[in-house]
Amino acid sequence: MSEYQFNTNCIHSGYKAESGQPQVLPIVQNTTYRYYDAADVAKLFDLESADFMYSRLGSPTVNALEEKMAALEGGTAGIATSAGQAANLITMLNICQAGDHIIACGNIYGGTFNLFNVTLRKMGIETTFIDYNLSKEEIVALAKPNTKALFGESLGNPALTVLDIEKFAAAAGEMGVPLVIDNTLASPYLCQPLKHGANFVTHSMTKWADGHATSVGGMVIEGGNFDWNKYADKYPGMVEPDESYHGLRYYEKFGNQAFCVKLRAQMLRDLGCTMAPMNAFLTFQGLDTLHLRMARHSENALALAKFLQNHPMVDWVKYPGLSGDDDYERAQKYLPKGASGVLAFGAKGGKAGGEIVLKHLKLASIVVHVGDIRTSVLHPASTTHRQLSEADQLAGGIKPELIRVSVGCEDIEDIITDFDQALRALQ
Ligand code: PLP
């Protein structure tokens, strides 16, 4: 556990230069590590040594990022992955096997919804999608003997809903399953789900963590707070001997870091969804300023949301930091330092209105992305969701006029001026 507070950890955790060493985390661009005694290599294969062996399984630059992110989330260990998608995939594969069942919120990122609903289903893992407003009792009532995990996003993308993490943690506790929270949109600066009872946190590091739109990546953080022995029958992979690792018992040997050791030893080994050192370096640099950026993103998003709310060419605004928003009270509790940088609004004129606004924006860029330092916009009805019928779009919460904005760190006056002139094109 770090002795420092959050902002200091953004800058200092994960890497410390010893005397005469580079002040900035070096990029170790390398596949393999030399040894002089085969016995030392044998120790690596027996997981008796934490040294590096082969970069698919871990390397110094990636390791530094894992340590920094674990410190920021208050976890015991982290595993970096090639993308956010891989982080959610290997978390679930580390918990579940064919025949198992997951309960997940329905208002999650579309890519994760597809991963659970299509790909995991093909692998024999079934998911029940639920409304995030269900009561604890209603969630627990959906548990089956084969239910192995509960999943939700702290701040839903793109629904911008705020999850009652403590309610979900209580439900998971009663079901005897781990609670996994995707904390991408909030970032650990705004919300630390482990402190509210979650057991694992996942991230698309591609978003706020990197923050400059340079690198795709993911992360799994272990809370070290799930007692696998108590539910040994349900999670044999954590407590029984691993035949692919000389009969190793992960929980017995690695305790509160066992989940991440198993992720590395089995999932990175078998699936190879490892983060590259260059991406780890760039993301590590991004995290150095996470605290500064998230404060500014949130401040700018709130100011833009308030401006849009009063604009004559705007029908509605969704931002959990706005008082009166359905998620406002939960945002005050779970995102006390700000409600993040993403908002959605509906311009007058339906789908055509949304298209006109995007066409007239000058400063804001049209990109399929959130979390960049530059203000970014997307009109899902004419881009990402254009293959769907309007009825299917509406079922997925995509109104024809919806414009999603990832509010950047530019001067707020310039951002507001840009949206104002683009909206005036509708008049
Ligand atoms: N989780 C959330 C909440 C996301 O928004 C995304 C991507 O937008 C992902 C996971 C997937 O991350 P990646 O694009 O890095 O694979």
Side-chain angles (χ1 to χ4, degrees):
M1 201 55 85
S2 168
E3 62 190 291
Y4 296 119
Q5 297 189 46
F6 188 89
N7 298 349
T8 310
N9 277 332
C10 281
I11 299 168
H12 289 281
S13 60
Y15 176 74
K16 179 169 186 273
E18 299 303 336
S19 180
Q21 288 189 341
Q23 167 72 332
V24 173
L25 174 72
I27 307 170
V28 180
Q29 185 63 44
N30 178 42
T31 59
T32 195
Y33 301 82
R34 182 173 179 181
Y35 288 91
Y36 288 88
D37 188 334
D40 291 333
V41 182
K43 279 190 207 144
L44 296 168
F45 276 95
D46 288 345
L47 298 184
E48 294 290 345
S49 159
D51 289 343
F52 300 104
M53 152 173 39
Y54 185 63
S55 295
R56 170 159 35 89
L57 300 172
S59 60
T61 313
V62 177
N63 196 245
L65 179 67
E66 292 167 343
E67 284 186 14
K68 181 181 280 219
M69 204 56 190
L72 297 184
E73 285 287 4
T76 54
I79 292 288
T81 56
S82 52
Q85 286 297 92
N88 283 326
L89 170 68
I90 66 171
T91 299
M92 288 309 168
L93 292 183
N94 216 31
I95 297 174
C96 302
Q97 57 188 40
D100 286 346
H101 173 243
I102 298 166
I103 300 176
C105 290
N107 57 341
I108 53 176
Y109 168 62
T112 313
F113 187 91
N114 277 336
L115 168 66
F116 289 3
N117 196 37
V118 179
T119 302
L120 287 187
R121 212 178 282 282
K122 280 188 202 158
M123 299 167 101
I125 299 167
E126 185 204 349
T127 300
T128 300
F129 292 100
I130 60 167
D131 184 332
Y132 79 118
N133 275 319
L134 289 191
S135 68
K136 182 191 76 175
E137 291 70 25
E138 287 171 317
I139 300 171
V140 172
L142 292 169
K144 308 178 194 182
N146 61 343
T147 303
K148 299 290 170 71
L150 185 57
F151 180 90
E153 291 177 0
S154 49
L155 182 58
N157 181 19
L160 303 179
T161 46
V162 179
L163 198 72
D164 185 346
I165 301 173
E166 289 174 10
K167 175 182 76 180
F168 271 72
E174 280 189 27
M175 292 190 276
V177 304
L179 173 63
V180 180
I181 296 290
D182 183 326
N183 197 30
T184 299
L185 237 58
S187 89
Y189 175 76
L190 298 175
C191 178
Q192 291 160 11
L194 299 174
K195 290 195 176 142
H196 296 289
N199 303 107
F200 298 96
V201 173
T202 58
H203 277 277
S204 165
M205 301 292 280
T206 320
K207 306 295 172 331
W208 304 117
D210 164 26
H212 299 77
T214 65
S215 312
V216 173
M219 184 71 69
V220 184
I221 304 292
E222 178 162 7
N225 55 355
F226 192 81
D227 186 352
W228 301 103
N229 276 340
K230 192 168 168 192
Y231 306 103
D233 291 351
K234 275 203 276 192
Y235 303 104
M238 291 301 302
V239 291
E240 287 178 9
D242 176 2
E243 295 316 326
S244 72
Y245 250 110
H246 324 297
L248 176 82
R249 294 172 190 264
Y250 290 97
Y251 193 42
E252 184 182 286
K253 187 160 172 75
F254 296 104
N256 67 6
Q257 298 186 327
F259 191 80
C260 277
V261 173
K262 182 169 175 284
L263 278 177
R264 193 183 298 285
Q266 291 182 341
M267 294 297 147
L268 296 189
R269 179 195 64 184
D270 296 352
L271 303 181
C273 47
T274 311
M275 184 183 279
M278 185 66 177
N279 282 17
F281 168 79
L282 290 166
T283 309
F284 193 93
Q285 296 282 316
L287 286 178
D288 284 352
T289 56
L290 182 76
H291 54 304
L292 303 172
R293 288 184 288 107
M294 291 317 294
R296 178 62 70 87
H297 283 297
S298 301
E299 187 187 309
N300 279 357
L302 180 59
L304 182 64
K306 285 182 177 167
F307 170 79
L308 293 172
Q309 208 177 25
N310 295 316
H311 199 285
M313 301 317 289
V314 171
D315 274 338
W316 55 267
V317 180
K318 169 67 188 160
Y319 182 64
L322 275 181
S323 65
D325 187 275
D326 288 347
D327 292 278
Y328 180 74
E329 295 302 331
R330 278 188 294 272
Q332 294 299 298
K333 175 172 179 182
Y334 290 106
L335 308 165
K337 291 196 276 186
S340 195
V342 184
L343 63 82
F345 72 96
K348 288 205 186 301
K351 185 170 178 230
E355 284 171 353
I356 290 169
V357 172
L358 253 67
K359 201 171 163 183
H360 285 82
L361 285 167
K362 294 175 182 155
L363 180 68
S365 327
I366 304 174
V367 291
V368 184
H369 188 46
V370 295
D372 190 4
I373 197 153
R374 289 154 278 251
T375 297
S376 315
V377 289
L378 191 67
H379 180 225
S382 62
T383 56
T384 47
H385 292 64
R386 64 180 289 116
Q387 280 86 1
L388 301 184
S389 67
E390 195 171 318
D392 285 348
Q393 289 181 7
L394 284 172
I398 307 293
K399 293 182 184 165
E401 70 278 14
L402 184 151
I403 295 173
R404 185 183 72 185
V405 189
S406 174
V407 186
C409 288
E410 301 94 342
D411 285 303
I412 187 60
E413 294 80 7
D414 292 333
I415 298 172
I416 285 177
T417 303
D418 194 31
F419 278 87
D420 188 35
Q421 62 82 26
L423 283 161
R424 287 190 189 284
L426 294 172
Q427 283 172 332

Short mmCIF file of all heavy atoms in Angstrom, two decimals, residues 83-85 88 109 112 153 157 182 184-185 204 206-207 216-217, ligand 1:
data_model
loop_
_atom_site.label_atom_id
_atom_site.label_comp_id
_atom_site.label_asym_id
_atom_site.label_seq_id
_atom_site.Cartn_x
_atom_site.Cartn_y
_atom_site.Cartn_z
N ALA A 83 -5.97 -4.68 -24.95
CA ALA A 83 -7.11 -3.77 -25.14
C ALA A 83 -8.05 -3.92 -23.96
O ALA A 83 -7.96 -4.91 -23.21
CB ALA A 83 -7.84 -4.11 -26.44
N GLY A 84 -8.97 -2.97 -23.83
CA GLY A 84 -9.97 -3.09 -22.77
C GLY A 84 -10.83 -4.33 -22.96
O GLY A 84 -11.23 -4.99 -21.99
N GLN A 85 -11.11 -4.66 -24.22
CA GLN A 85 -11.91 -5.86 -24.49
C GLN A 85 -11.26 -7.11 -23.90
O GLN A 85 -11.92 -7.97 -23.33
CB GLN A 85 -12.08 -6.06 -26.00
CG GLN A 85 -13.04 -5.09 -26.64
CD GLN A 85 -14.45 -5.23 -26.12
OE1 GLN A 85 -14.84 -4.55 -25.17
NE2 GLN A 85 -15.23 -6.11 -26.70
N ASN A 88 -11.75 -7.41 -20.01
CA ASN A 88 -13.02 -8.00 -19.57
C ASN A 88 -13.11 -9.48 -19.96
O ASN A 88 -13.64 -10.29 -19.19
CB ASN A 88 -14.20 -7.21 -20.16
CG ASN A 88 -14.42 -5.91 -19.40
OD1 ASN A 88 -14.20 -5.85 -18.18
ND2 ASN A 88 -14.82 -4.86 -20.09
N TYR A 109 -21.09 -0.75 -22.13
CA TYR A 109 -20.49 -0.48 -23.44
C TYR A 109 -20.90 -1.59 -24.44
O TYR A 109 -20.86 -2.79 -24.09
CB TYR A 109 -18.97 -0.43 -23.26
CG TYR A 109 -18.18 -0.44 -24.54
CD1 TYR A 109 -18.33 0.57 -25.48
CD2 TYR A 109 -17.30 -1.47 -24.81
CE1 TYR A 109 -17.60 0.55 -26.65
CE2 TYR A 109 -16.55 -1.50 -25.98
CZ TYR A 109 -16.72 -0.49 -26.90
OH TYR A 109 -16.00 -0.51 -28.05
N THR A 112 -18.69 -4.65 -24.89
CA THR A 112 -18.72 -5.61 -23.79
C THR A 112 -20.03 -6.40 -23.83
O THR A 112 -20.05 -7.61 -23.57
CB THR A 112 -18.60 -4.87 -22.43
OG1 THR A 112 -17.53 -3.93 -22.52
CG2 THR A 112 -18.34 -5.84 -21.31
N GLU A 153 -20.75 -1.30 -15.01
CA GLU A 153 -19.83 -0.17 -15.22
C GLU A 153 -20.14 0.91 -14.20
O GLU A 153 -21.31 1.27 -14.02
CB GLU A 153 -19.99 0.39 -16.65
CG GLU A 153 -19.49 -0.58 -17.71
CD GLU A 153 -19.71 -0.10 -19.14
OE1 GLU A 153 -20.26 1.00 -19.35
OE2 GLU A 153 -19.33 -0.84 -20.06
N ASN A 157 -21.20 3.53 -20.35
CA ASN A 157 -20.88 4.12 -21.65
C ASN A 157 -21.76 3.50 -22.73
O ASN A 157 -21.68 2.28 -22.93
CB ASN A 157 -19.41 3.87 -21.99
CG ASN A 157 -19.00 4.50 -23.32
OD1 ASN A 157 -19.67 5.38 -23.81
ND2 ASN A 157 -17.92 4.02 -23.89
N ASP A 182 -16.26 -2.35 -14.37
CA ASP A 182 -15.50 -1.66 -15.41
C ASP A 182 -15.52 -0.18 -15.03
O ASP A 182 -16.58 0.46 -15.04
CB ASP A 182 -16.16 -1.92 -16.78
CG ASP A 182 -15.38 -1.29 -17.93
OD1 ASP A 182 -14.79 -0.20 -17.72
OD2 ASP A 182 -15.38 -1.85 -19.03
N THR A 184 -13.77 2.31 -16.52
CA THR A 184 -13.14 3.08 -17.59
C THR A 184 -13.57 4.54 -17.62
O THR A 184 -12.73 5.45 -17.63
CB THR A 184 -13.50 2.45 -18.96
OG1 THR A 184 -12.99 1.12 -18.99
CG2 THR A 184 -12.92 3.24 -20.12
N LEU A 185 -14.87 4.78 -17.66
CA LEU A 185 -15.35 6.14 -17.90
C LEU A 185 -15.14 7.05 -16.70
O LEU A 185 -15.05 8.26 -16.84
CB LEU A 185 -16.83 6.12 -18.31
CG LEU A 185 -17.12 6.77 -19.65
CD1 LEU A 185 -16.35 6.11 -20.76
CD2 LEU A 185 -18.60 6.75 -19.95
N SER A 204 -10.60 0.01 -19.87
CA SER A 204 -10.01 0.28 -21.17
C SER A 204 -9.03 1.41 -20.90
O SER A 204 -9.44 2.55 -20.65
CB SER A 204 -11.09 0.71 -22.18
OG SER A 204 -10.43 1.27 -23.30
N THR A 206 -7.28 2.68 -22.98
CA THR A 206 -7.33 3.48 -24.20
C THR A 206 -7.96 4.85 -23.96
O THR A 206 -7.71 5.78 -24.73
CB THR A 206 -8.20 2.72 -25.23
OG1 THR A 206 -7.90 1.32 -25.16
CG2 THR A 206 -7.98 3.20 -26.64
N LYS A 207 -8.81 4.95 -22.93
CA LYS A 207 -9.61 6.17 -22.73
C LYS A 207 -8.87 7.17 -21.83
O LYS A 207 -7.81 7.64 -22.19
CB LYS A 207 -10.98 5.77 -22.18
CG LYS A 207 -11.70 4.73 -23.04
CD LYS A 207 -12.04 5.28 -24.38
CE LYS A 207 -12.58 4.32 -25.41
NZ LYS A 207 -12.23 2.94 -25.41
N VAL A 216 -3.97 1.78 -27.56
CA VAL A 216 -5.05 0.89 -27.13
C VAL A 216 -4.48 -0.01 -26.03
O VAL A 216 -3.36 -0.49 -26.13
CB VAL A 216 -5.55 0.06 -28.32
CG1 VAL A 216 -6.55 -1.01 -27.88
CG2 VAL A 216 -6.20 0.96 -29.37
N GLY A 217 -5.26 -0.21 -24.97
CA GLY A 217 -4.78 -1.07 -23.89
C GLY A 217 -5.87 -1.33 -22.86
O GLY A 217 -6.91 -0.66 -22.85
N1 PLP B 1 -15.13 -0.80 -21.49
C1 PLP B 1 -15.64 0.42 -21.73
C2 PLP B 1 -16.49 1.08 -20.70
C3 PLP B 1 -15.38 1.07 -22.94
O1 PLP B 1 -15.90 2.28 -23.18
C4 PLP B 1 -14.57 0.41 -23.91
C5 PLP B 1 -14.30 1.04 -25.21
O2 PLP B 1 -14.87 2.06 -25.56
C6 PLP B 1 -14.08 -0.87 -23.61
C7 PLP B 1 -14.35 -1.44 -22.39
C8 PLP B 1 -13.22 -1.61 -24.60
O3 PLP B 1 -11.98 -1.03 -24.60
P1 PLP B 1 -10.94 -1.10 -25.85
O4 PLP B 1 -11.52 -0.27 -26.93
O5 PLP B 1 -9.68 -0.57 -25.26
O6 PLP B 1 -10.84 -2.54 -26.23
#
